[in-house]
Amino acid sequence: RLPVPPSMAGRSIAECDLRGRTGCNVVAVERAGDVQTNPDPHRPLGADEVLVLIGDAEAQDRFMERHVAAGAS
């Protein structure tokens, strides 16, 4: 579980190409306590949402480096 990083806010899961670029899959998106499983990959993500990701340790590291590290875009 991770808040939507600023580099992803306003962009869709498909646009970010998370699976291709990091190896992580988004299995759910949470907003205001409401969890949407199998989220629409074309809906823009809100800055106030939380991602539920799955992936191996290397995929998680790639996600963190790409989207959470200082200055990521």
Side-chain angles (χ1 to χ4, degrees):
R1 299 177 84 88
L2 185 72
V4 171
S7 63
M8 293 177 62
R11 300 172 65 201
S12 70
I13 295 166
E15 182 182 353
C16 294
D17 189 22
L18 290 181
R19 185 180 307 147
R21 293 181 183 195
T22 69
C24 287
N25 289 301
V26 178
V27 295
V29 176
E30 181 180 347
R31 182 175 187 190
D34 180 43
V35 178
Q36 177 189 9
T37 57
N38 195 25
D40 178 354
H42 301 289
R43 183 186 65 77
L45 296 165
D48 60 340
E49 296 178 325
V50 174
L51 301 174
V52 180
L53 302 168
I54 59 170
D56 62 21
E58 291 176 2
Q60 291 177 33
D61 288 344
R62 283 189 297 271
F63 179 90
M64 297 300 282
E65 289 171 6
R66 183 170 196 88
H67 293 286
V68 180
S73 58

